Amino acid sequence: MGISNFIGVIFAICSALSYTAENVLSYEVRQVCHPTLILTCNAFMLLVCITITTLLMKPTFGALDSGDVSLIVFAGFIGAVAHVAFAIAIFTIGAGNATLIFYTEPIFTICISVPFLKNLFKWTDVLLAAIAFSAVAVISSPSVLHLTPDEDHANDLDIRGVVLALFGAVASAGGLVATKALSNTGVHISILLFSYSLNYFLISCLLFLIMQGWDMPQNISLFLLTFVSGFAVFGGLLFKFFALTKEKPAIVSVILTTEVFMTYMGDLIVFDYPNHWTIYVASIMIACSCIGVILTHEQPQETEDSENRGILADSRE
């Protein structure tokens, strides 16, 4: 098999790298900025980048029916909600706890893909998702077991954070499946990106106003980083959507778990942040899940897409 057969996997890895860059760029900003300010600045830069990209791509809307339009809006909204929910969960219950809960996403993705995308149930997908989630659990365990006083919030805040992270995982899985369904019908990727970025910006602005996130960092360079990290979010989103046009959502979801390991390693390299031994164990587990994705890789996606389009055409007739 040529490298073209693995282009979806490559796109997913590039997406994880981009999101890792966003996490590293925002590391210091998170210490001094209100979370809704970071979200709003990120969302604004993302919307600017995607608007320019959409204009350059000049997408054609083709014969979109009301069902397609509704699904485009839903996919953008649910994906944006997932992003915001995860971000707020991080500030509520700590990065380790939020990450551990959020990366149950591959399991939810498989559960949703089977009925809605008519994907065949495969035990190998479940096994790979379980290995990836276990790796995230291993990485997060030091944070879960050794909370600092600042991270150990009151019980009411803890339960809210848990609910937000879990809801974010389910919403993210739903967004992946909805995006895949739309890509199978031939909807231009820039339309999906614009729907996501617009919803993300509107939700972030609303939360910013409700939660009064006016706390600005004293250092102007830190404030500018909130916008610069928006470029990284743009790259992560773009590569993720490209990956979904080539691969099953379950596969993309498993590959994206590499973001956790790469973020920890980025903190070590850039900030000399000490890492726990569990990170290295988890990195081996994540590598095994990704190698498993490659070894169990099936037919090129173009064949699968053509079959899906045929099924959709038959159902519409």
Side-chain angles (χ1 to χ4, degrees), residues 162-236:
V162 169
V163 171
L164 279 170
L166 187 60
F167 176 73
V170 177
S172 181
L176 289 175
V177 173
T179 300
K180 179 61 178 178
L182 285 165
S183 70
N184 287 342
T185 63
V187 175
H188 199 279
I189 189 172
S190 63
I191 298 174
L192 301 175
L193 288 168
F194 184 77
S195 175
Y196 181 101
S197 62
L198 182 60
N199 277 285
Y200 182 28
F201 180 69
L202 293 176
I203 294 171
S204 298
C205 288
L206 180 62
L207 288 175
F208 178 80
L209 294 174
I210 292 174
M211 301 178 70
Q212 297 293 305
W214 300 103
D215 295 335
M216 300 289 180
Q218 298 293 328
N219 190 333
I220 188 65
S221 63
L222 290 180
F223 180 64
L224 292 176
L225 272 180
T226 61
F227 290 95
V228 174
S229 61
F231 285 108
V233 176
F234 168 67

Side-chain angles (χ1 to χ4, degrees), residues 256-278:
L256 287 177
T257 59
T258 58
E259 174 196 348
V260 183
F261 161 69
M262 289 189 288
T263 297
Y264 277 101
M265 294 308 298
D267 290 342
L268 173 64
I269 294 170
V270 177
F271 301 108
D272 198 25
Y273 189 78
N275 279 330
H276 197 270
W277 64 268
T278 53

